[in-house]
Amino acid sequence: MENLLRPLIVVGGSVVLTLFIGWATDRLLCKADERHPETSLWGLLRRGRIPYQLVLCAALLRGSFDRAEVLENHRVGVGRTLTLVLIGAAAWLAVRIVGAIVETTYTRYARVHHDAARVRRVRTQVSLIMRVVSAVVGVVAVAAMLLTFPAFRAAGASLLASAGIIGIVAGVAAQSTLSNMFAGFQIAFGDMVRMGDTVVVDGEWGTVEEITLTFLTVRTWDERRITMPVSYFTSKPFENWSRGTPQMTGIVYWHVDHSAPLDAMREKLRDILRECPAWDGRAYGLDVTDTTPNTLQVRALATAKDADDIWTVRVTVREKMIRWLAEEHPYALPRVNTADALLPPNHANGRVPGGIAPQRRAHESPRADR
C-alpha cells in the first residue's frame, strides 16, 4: 500500500501544487491588468501561463522524483527527461516574457508618437529583435540540453579545438544565408524599408507585409505575395513610396486632337477633383507636354495623401475626362487622318476664326458653291 501511495502523493501533489500556483499567478495578473489598464504588460504575460506551469511541474517532479521510489531501474533516464523538459519550458517562458515586454514597449511608443513612418520603423526593428532573441534563446536551450549528456561533455574539448575550422567551412557554405542575415540587420536599423511601406519591386506594386532576417514578403495589390531575399534591397534599386512623407503626385496622360479645348479641360479637371474625395486639395494642373502630326499629349497632375488615394484620383480623372470629351467635345478626340474632320461648335458657315477656310475635298469642284 505504501508503494502505491508514495508515488501517487509525490506525482499528484506536484501536479496539484503546479495547478494551484498557476491559477493564483493568473488571478494576480488579471487583477494587475484591471488596475493598470494603461499598459498591456500584465495581460500579455498571461500568454506564458502554459510554459510557466510546465516549468513548475518539471521542477517539482525533478526535485521530488527520488522520493517516489518508482522506476528505480530508469531513474537516470526519467531524471534526464525531466531536466530536458525543464530547460525547454524555461526557454519557452523566457521568450514569452521578453515578447510581452517588447510588445508593451512598442504599443506605448506607437500610442505616444503619431508619425506613421517612425512607428513602422520601430515595428520593423522590434520584429527582427524578437526573432534574434528567440534564436539565441533556442540555441542556448539546445546547448544546455546537449550538455546534460555525458558523451557530449566529453567531446567538448575536441569540438572546441575544431570550432575554428568548422566555422570557416560553415561560413563559406552559408555565405548567402549570412549575407541575407546581415542585410536584415541593415534594413532594420538603416531605415531602408519598413513593414507597411508601399514599394515597387521589379515592376510590381505592393505593400511590405513581413520582414525576417533572411527574406522579405511584399503583398501586391491583387493579393499575391512576392518573397524576396533581403539582400535584394541592399544591392539593387527599388521604389519606396512611403519613404519620408506618404503624400504623392499622380500623372494622367491623354492624346487629343489639335483643336481640343484646353481651357475647358482645365476647368473640367478642377470640377472632377472637387468631386473626388481622394484628392487632398494641395495642387492640380493640366499642360501640353508633347505634340505629334496628329495629336497633342496632355498631362494632368493631381495630389493625394498616400499611394492608395493617388490611384483612385488617377483612375477617376482619366475616366471622367474621356467621358466628358466624348459627350461634349467629340471633335477633340484623336482621329485617323483620312476621316472627315468635325469642326468645333463655334465655327460658323464652315469658316474657322481668323478667316481661314477649311480645305476642300479633292473630288469637290471650286464651282460647286457658286
Side-chain angles (χ1 to χ4, degrees):
M1 190 67 179
E2 182 181 357
N3 295 333
L4 180 62
L5 290 177
R6 184 182 293 111
L8 184 62
I9 292 174
V10 172
V11 177
S14 300
V15 174
V16 171
L17 186 59
T18 298
L19 294 177
F20 175 75
I21 295 176
W23 175 82
T25 305
D26 188 67
R27 295 307 305 168
L28 290 175
L29 291 176
C30 288
K31 290 183 178 180
D33 191 27
E34 293 175 357
R35 292 180 179 179
H36 303 281
E38 72 279 357
T39 177
S40 59
L41 176 62
W42 311 111
L44 293 174
L45 286 176
R46 295 184 61 199
R47 298 179 183 178
R49 56 181 177 271
I50 295 179
Y52 176 66
Q53 293 176 354
L54 281 177
V55 170
L56 290 176
C57 188
L60 291 174
L61 289 175
R62 185 68 180 86
S64 60
F65 180 75
D66 293 338
R67 299 182 181 181
E69 296 182 2
V70 64
L71 299 175
E72 295 289 339
N73 297 330
H74 303 281
R75 180 176 298 179
V76 176
V78 173
R80 185 169 296 162
T81 302
L82 291 175
T83 302
L84 295 178
V85 173
L86 178 61
I87 295 174
W92 186 7
L93 179 61
V95 171
R96 286 295 177 90
I97 293 175
V98 173
I101 295 174
V102 170
E103 188 170 346
T104 302
T105 305
Y106 166 74
T107 303
R108 186 179 304 171
Y109 182 88
R111 190 183 300 118
V112 173
H113 296 80
H114 301 287
D115 188 354
R118 182 178 298 179
V119 171
R120 288 199 304 269
R121 176 185 179 183
V122 174
R123 179 186 173 190
T124 303
Q125 295 175 353
V126 165
S127 299
L128 291 178
I129 289 174
M130 274 304 304
R131 294 180 185 275
V132 172
V133 170
S134 301
V136 171
V137 172
V139 170
V140 172
V142 171
M145 290 179 181
L146 293 177
L147 290 177
T148 60
F149 297 91
F152 284 95
R153 286 183 298 188
S158 60
L159 287 175
L160 290 175
S162 59
I165 300 176
I166 294 176
I168 294 174
V169 174
V172 174
Q175 183 178 2
S176 177
T177 303
L178 292 176
S179 64
N180 283 327
M181 185 176 299
F182 285 113
F185 283 108
Q186 186 176 353
I187 286 177
F189 296 97
D191 197 24
M192 299 174 59
V193 62
R194 301 152 297 199
M195 286 190 293
D197 282 2
T198 301
V199 297
V200 178
V201 182
D202 284 343
E204 295 286 349
W205 177 88
T207 304
V208 178
E209 188 176 52
E210 183 181 7
I211 299 178
T212 68
L213 288 177
T214 56
F215 67 88
L216 184 147
T217 302
V218 177
R219 177 172 55 86
T220 60
W221 63 273
D222 54 356
E223 299 185 356
R224 290 180 293 117
R225 266 67 176 180
I226 301 177
T227 301
M228 315 181 70
V230 292
S231 59
Y232 175 92
F233 292 86
T234 59
S235 59
K236 296 183 180 180
F238 65 95
E239 296 183 27
N240 189 344
W241 291 5
S242 301
R243 180 78 176 181
T245 173
Q247 296 175 345
M248 298 192 67
T249 300
I251 301 175
V252 180
Y253 288 101
W254 297 282
H255 287 275
V256 297
D257 189 75
H258 291 128
S259 59
L262 298 179
D263 293 335
M265 290 179 65
R266 292 186 178 96
E267 296 178 0
K268 183 62 179 177
L269 175 63
R270 179 194 59 197
D271 297 338
I272 293 174
L273 291 176
R274 287 178 176 176
E275 297 175 358
C276 182
W279 182 52
D280 62 1
R282 287 189 296 124
Y284 74 95
L286 188 144
D287 300 288
V288 177
T289 57
D290 198 3
T291 180
T292 68
N294 302 321
T295 60
L296 296 176
Q297 185 184 64
V298 179
R299 184 193 67 185
L301 300 179
T303 58
K305 64 181 180 63
D306 54 30
D308 292 334
D309 283 354
I310 201 62
W311 171 262
T312 304
V313 170
R314 291 176 63 194
V315 296
T316 302
V317 169
R318 184 183 294 111
E319 176 184 351
K320 290 189 175 182
M321 184 65 75
I322 288 294
R323 183 180 300 174
W324 175 75
L325 288 175
E327 293 175 355
E328 302 294 334
H329 303 277
Y331 63 90
L333 298 177
R335 297 184 301 275
V336 181
N337 289 340
T338 56
D340 292 340
L342 293 177
L343 299 179
N346 58 346
H347 290 205
N349 298 326
R351 289 188 178 275
V352 296
I356 302 177
Q359 282 188 336
R360 300 179 183 273
R361 297 178 185 175
H363 62 274
E364 290 181 350
S365 173
R367 300 179 181 180
D369 56 351
R370 291 186 181 180

